[in-house]
Amino acid sequence: MRCDIAKMARVTFDEDRCKGCRLCVSVCPKKIVMMDEDKLNLKGFHPANVKEMDKCIGCAFCATICPDCVITVEK
Amino acid sequence: MGEKILMKGNEVIAEAALRAGCRHYFGYPITPQTEIAHYFAKKMPQYGGTFIQAESEVAAMNMVYGAASAGARVMTSSSSPGISLKQEAISYAACAELPAVIVNIMRAGPGLGGILAAQSDYFQATKGGGHGDYRMVVLAPSSVQELYELVVDAFNIADKYRTLCMIVGDGMLGQMMEAVEFRDKEDIYQADKSWAVTGTGMERDHNIITSIYIDPEVLEKHNLKLQEKYRKIAENETRVEVFNCEGADIIVAAYGTVARIIKNVIKTAEKEGIKVGLIRPITLWPFPTAEFEKYADVPQAFLSVEMSAGQMVEDVRLAVNGKRPVYFHGRMGGMIPTQKEILEKIREILK
Amino acid sequence: MFNKRITIFTGHFGSGKTEVAVNYALQAAETGKKTAIVDLDIVNPFFRTADVRNRLEAGGIKVITPVYANTNVDVPSLPAEINSLFEDKSYSVILDVGGDDLGARAVSRYRDQIACDDYIHYFVVNTRRPMTRTPDEIIRMILEIQDGAGLKVDMLVNNANMLGESTPELLAEASEILAVVSSRLSIPVGFISGMEEVLSAYEGDRGIERLYMKKNITLPWEQM
Amino acid sequence: MAIVFQRPHALRETQMHYCPGCTHGIVHRLIAEVIDELGVEGRTIGVSPVGCAYNNYLYFNCDMVQAAHGRAPAVATGIKRVHPDNVVFTYQGDGDLAAIGTAEIIHAANRGEKITTIFINNAIYGMTSGQMAPTTLVGQVTTTSPFGRKPELHGYPLNVCEMLSTLKGAVYVERVSMHDIKNIKNAKNAIKKAFKVQMAGLGFSIVEVLSSCPTNWGIDPVNALKWIEEKMIPQYPLGNFKGKDLEV
């Protein structure tokens, strides 16, 4: 993945592990985590994802509440 | 061999376990086996081992489950109603293939029953008191000296096959005193316990001890593996004492202390011109079927004498397989069969 | 022997106290004394004084045993009748106390009545029992039992045996061990006990009294 | 950029079987993070329960033993006595710990057994599909309390931390919750302290975790967290019951 130095933080979703519970969506202070309507994962869900990555502040709330270790956070 | 000392059956169980390298004992008091716990309570600290008086027999056997998982030589003991409580963890340990030794100094039942001697837990020990298709090696000593030797053997068999071994004795065996001679050093089977939970040390994949297999095909496969192990144990570990059986008029089947009564009966009967043979199963499971088959053509009849309503007699019948009639004489409730009544029964059968 | 109103037998469990106490009682009764024996064993559920009740009673001895002795329960309730023996001084009383400090505790509740009476406390030793094999072990056991009973041991009894496999040599071996205990605790050996055939073959300790015993407790497979 | 949050090493890659939004997964990760941070993965032994987490032995990288229903504290006792230098934890639900295993947990705690128990309280039986638990709230509908839990019929919710904290052997007792980020962070601190208390040999430690069961509660995962906050916490107040000031 390309590394953009200007970005403050980045979250990556291991999409096929996502169970679509939306807990991450509910805790994101920037409201940037949402279910990716364009994708279906292996389980057939729309997995959680972040589109506007430049707004990510790397708070890791999404990762903290994720029950399935889907999310990795870099800062 | 060292010098002889006088010991109570229950003490010998504990001493033998210590000599066999058992350093962990978990139990709960119940007559007539509580001296086992007393002995461990005094001795374990000297060996740097663990003695815990558990909150229940249920917990005690689960502590055994944990200690065996951790790779230790471990033992619990109880008497009939307490053994019933241990059945849950016994079944789990059988499935998880954990080696451990369980002692049952049997008292009279059913229910709370009474503290006096009985042999009415034969079914429970040999036919599975817990759920599922499992077996335990069941050893039935008839003297204090044999008690010592079989407890040591039980630990070795347990480790060798990753199986449970149960020692069954009636209350008399636990309570009586006899001279016993200990070996200077025990022959201890050195088992590979790389399966045990000890911490991975970050050097290997994690070990798992479990008795759950959610895939029926896998569970059946595991069962087949267990059955194969039991077959191997039956092939290698069946033990029996055959006494006076060549040309006997009648062969008595008896185990434990009852077999000692029969030995006296044999002497008295001889004076009347009756030749009585004795087949004494030392392993109740695996049952020494072959010895009964071997002698099935000789005597007029077989007689099973037990301190129960007739439990081992079923295995005797299976082994004799209809070749000869099989009779039964038993006492219950803590009553002990007398030589006199056994002799009368023999005379009546041979009439 | 036989000259105190109350005779107490304690010891490590399995020391042979009961066999000694029963024989002692039978012989005391033979001297014409009005004798009572009390089974105070709350430790041992099998093989106890209660087993030989018939023989003792035939010898004119009053037998007091725990309420449930030799039944199918193991509640070690002490019989209230024991108190009567402290009142009625016409009896010679023999107390067969349970093993170890735990058993000795049962006698402790009577220690005030015993202490002001004419009594002797014998400690029975079988040196072929684990935990009483060496002078150190025996001394530890004596101290524990004294603690449990609340009564000091007055004399030792050499009862070295291995039941059917006993020999005079065992008594000789024990004699040496007890000599050490005696000198260290200043407690003399009161008497030597053994089955008649064994004890009569023992040549040593001629200066010490002897209790020639008969076997009173038989194992089930020996009984007809 | 550096990685600031990822799967802890002590948690295996295996996908967990729990329902979407079930907070069991969070607790598993917290335990694994604590094991990583304390550097004890190589000497940790976990004991799995019977209940939804019955096979969590597949999820942890440390050695694991699966125990019979309710018996984990006894099994852990056996393990700990054989390996006193190892870190031993049990993971138990409310049926396992507070119903069938009540005797085992009380006595392990009372013995001051040097083990750590992670107690998942979601006020319901998950595995067997939604029956009443000892911790089910008054009025809560379950498959075995279809008209709501009635104290006169079913008794009252069992407050495990309050009960265990009366025992001398239980030296660290804390109740935490999974209902928001702040509380999840608190939970991790509590679990870490509980492990440290064990490692310092001080006695028994337990962390009760209020957790959600969206499936059996019939509430979506996000609102299930609200249900914890609004319904469970009044019955099960959060906080430390014992050992707050222990220096470990």
Side-chain angles (χ1 to χ4, degrees), chain B residues 79-151:
Chain B
S79 181
S80 312
I83 297 292
S84 295
L85 283 168
K86 292 184 197 290
Q87 294 299 338
E88 174 194 50
I90 286 175
S91 171
Y92 278 67
C95 188
E97 298 192 83
L98 295 175
V101 175
I102 303 154
V103 177
N104 182 6
I105 297 301
M106 295 182 279
R107 53 190 262 175
L112 194 49
I115 61 165
L116 297 177
Q119 295 180 320
S120 45
D121 303 343
Y122 180 93
F123 283 156
Q124 187 194 49
T126 63
K127 315 279 178 191
H131 57 283
D133 281 309
Y134 75 92
R135 296 286 191 181
M136 281 188 294
V137 176
V138 182
L139 297 156
S142 80
S143 69
V144 171
Q145 181 70 34
E146 193 180 32
L147 188 52
Y148 152 56
E149 285 158 14
L150 291 185
V151 167

Side-chain angles (χ1 to χ4, degrees), chain C residues 168-189:
Chain C
E169 287 73 35
L170 293 184
L171 292 168
E173 174 191 282
S175 173
E176 285 180 28
I177 296 168
L178 289 185
V180 179
V181 177
S182 269
S183 75
R184 277 168 52 188
L185 292 183
S186 304
I187 300 175
V189 176

Side-chain angles (χ1 to χ4, degrees), chain C residues 29-201:
Chain C
E30 277 167 24
T31 67
K33 282 188 194 319
K34 190 173 160 191
T35 307
I37 185 165
V38 182
D39 177 354
L40 269 180
D41 190 345
I42 56 165
V43 176
N44 209 11
F46 288 31
F47 310 126
R48 49 198 299 167
T49 314
D51 287 347
V52 287
R53 177 185 281 276
N54 292 345
R55 195 168 139 54
L56 287 161
E57 285 176 348
I61 297 166
K62 184 180 172 80
V63 181
I64 299 179
T65 61
V67 182
Y68 296 111
N70 280 36
T71 67
N72 252 323
V73 286
D74 50 352
V75 180
S77 315
L78 294 175
E81 289 170 272
I82 294 174
N83 288 317
S84 70
L85 298 175
F86 297 117
E87 303 297 327
D88 185 352
K89 310 265 185 199
S90 67
Y91 274 103
S92 279
V93 181
I94 289 132
L95 298 177
D96 173 17
V97 180
D100 297 1
D101 49 331
L102 177 70
R105 224 171 285 155
V107 84
S108 176
R109 60 181 295 164
Y110 302 111
R111 68 168 183 268
D112 291 343
Q113 283 134 298
I114 293 168
C116 61
D117 213 317
D118 174 39
Y119 80 100
I120 185 162
H121 178 184
Y122 285 111
F123 180 84
V124 181
V125 189
N126 179 0
T127 52
R128 282 297 178 122
R129 286 279 295 144
M131 302 188 201
T132 52
R133 303 269 291 137
T134 63
D136 284 344
E137 287 176 331
I138 294 166
I139 288 167
R140 192 181 318 132
M141 189 67 71
I142 289 173
L143 297 178
E144 280 174 17
I145 284 179
Q146 286 187 155
D147 242 26
L151 292 165
K152 281 188 75 89
V153 169
D154 300 306
M155 285 184 161
L156 306 174
V157 176
N158 175 354
N159 188 46
N161 76 90
M162 283 202 294
L163 299 178
E165 297 176 52
S166 304
T167 59
E169 287 73 35
L170 293 184
L171 292 168
E173 174 191 282
S175 173
E176 285 180 28
I177 296 168
L178 289 185
V180 179
V181 177
S182 269
S183 75
R184 277 168 52 188
L185 292 183
S186 304
I187 300 175
V189 176
F191 62 89
I192 305 170
S193 54
M195 290 300 148
E196 262 170 351
E197 59 282 8
V198 179
L199 187 54
S200 50

